Amino acid sequence: TIWGLPNDAFSIENGIIIDKARRWPLCIDPQGQANKWIKKMEAPQKLRVCKFTDGDYLQRMEGSITFGNPVLVENILEETDPAIEPVLLKQTFKKGNTVMLKLGDSILEYSKDFKLYLTTKFRNPHYLPEVAVKVTLLNFMITIVGLQDQLLNVVVQKERPELAEEKARLVVEGAENKAQLVDTENKILHVLQTSQGNILEDESAINVLSSSKALANKIAAKQEIAEQTE
């Protein structure tokens, strides 16, 4: 994947759940692969990494909540800090048109871009129900397929670094192609929904549909070539 998550179905499913789940993720991550993936993925958004044992972690989290920076709390044990319960439960409220959150004695403006990740190195942690219901619990322990993928990547990077670079480029290109296809499909749906009367007589709608179809065919062809090369 783009940010270094193993390419097996188990890891990809975990990644999708993290993206779509309503509760913040708590990752069982003894090999550290979720940690590395999150750090790479969220680096452009100025990820802040901390531990519950850091003396200033709450102050750093307050800034992230307000300014919309993601936070990774790593190496947690079998309990979370009760101080962040309002964050885990997303206990936000509105003050005028602004979304707010009370954290300890502080009332903070809550940015919609804020994200929270939790990871533990424990292989088999026993979280009490009152912890488990507040998070999305995910197991990122490495699988055989994931290990094979990582070992293959290491070998290729050592023996054929140009192939490793080409694969990384193709992964990024593939993601961009898929995003463009989704945009194209959305444009077509929008035209079909908003067109009035006989669509065959709507010249602008026909032009949009024709250009969208041509773009979709071009992207599909590029994607097929990229998949064969990879």
Side-chain angles (χ1 to χ4, degrees):
T1 62
I2 297 175
W3 306 113
L5 191 67
N7 210 24
D8 60 290
F10 187 67
S11 298
I12 291 171
E13 183 177 299
N14 280 343
I16 292 170
I17 292 171
I18 284 180
D19 185 56
K20 302 297 183 184
R22 289 188 292 177
R23 290 175 294 181
W24 300 124
L26 195 171
C27 306
I28 299 169
D29 189 34
Q31 288 88 20
Q33 58 182 4
N35 234 41
K36 292 175 186 174
W37 171 61
I38 292 166
K39 287 176 179 177
K40 285 185 180 179
M41 177 176 62
E42 296 291 5
Q45 284 70 49
K46 299 180 181 177
L47 174 73
R48 296 187 181 182
V49 182
C50 58
K51 301 178 179 68
F52 284 142
T53 52
D54 294 342
D56 63 343
Y57 95 88
L58 270 179
Q59 287 78 14
R60 292 161 67 190
M61 187 175 288
E62 286 178 4
S64 297
I65 289 169
T66 299
F67 295 109
N69 303 117
V71 172
L72 168 60
V73 183
E74 57 184 8
N75 299 344
I76 76 165
L77 303 179
E78 291 187 336
E79 294 180 355
T80 57
D81 187 344
I84 69 161
E85 185 163 308
V87 183
L88 292 178
L89 297 177
K90 300 184 182 180
Q91 292 176 337
T92 58
F93 59 93
K94 275 203 168 185
K95 187 175 182 181
N97 292 324
T98 307
V99 179
M100 312 292 288
L101 181 134
K102 190 175 188 295
L103 184 61
D105 296 328
S106 303
I107 296 179
L108 312 168
E109 187 173 333
Y110 188 89
S111 170
K112 63 180 178 58
D113 296 321
F114 170 74
K115 294 179 183 177
L116 176 64
Y117 303 91
L118 307 167
T119 62
T120 178
K121 288 186 175 180
F122 287 178
R123 287 179 173 273
N124 189 28
H126 298 282
Y127 290 108
L128 295 174
E130 53 263 35
V131 174
V133 297
K134 297 172 187 173
V135 298
T136 299
L137 198 58
L138 296 166
N139 190 345
F140 271 85
M141 281 189 68
I142 197 163
T143 63
I144 294 297
V145 175
L147 182 59
Q148 289 172 341
D149 183 58
Q150 290 187 37
L151 291 174
L152 179 60
N153 286 338
V154 169
V155 172
V156 171
Q157 285 172 358
K158 291 284 185 184
E159 300 293 331
R160 300 287 300 277
E162 73 281 0
L163 283 181
E165 290 178 7
E166 177 68 6
K167 182 182 178 183
R169 185 189 66 77
L170 288 173
V171 169
V172 173
E173 187 178 282
E176 290 173 348
N177 288 341
K178 287 173 183 176
Q180 280 186 299
L181 275 175
V182 171
D183 288 341
T184 302
E185 290 167 0
N186 289 337
K187 281 183 183 178
I188 292 171
L189 288 173
H190 178 72
V191 168
L192 294 174
Q193 288 172 350
T194 57
S195 179
Q196 297 178 351
N198 188 348
I199 194 170
L200 297 176
E201 296 175 0
D202 188 337
E203 188 175 344
S204 62
I206 291 172
N207 289 338
V208 170
L209 291 173
S210 298
S211 60
S212 297
K213 183 180 178 182
L215 179 61
N217 289 339
K218 183 179 177 182
I219 291 170
K222 284 171 64 179
Q223 188 66 8
E224 187 177 346
I225 293 169
E227 288 173 359
Q228 288 175 355
T229 305
E230 189 177 350

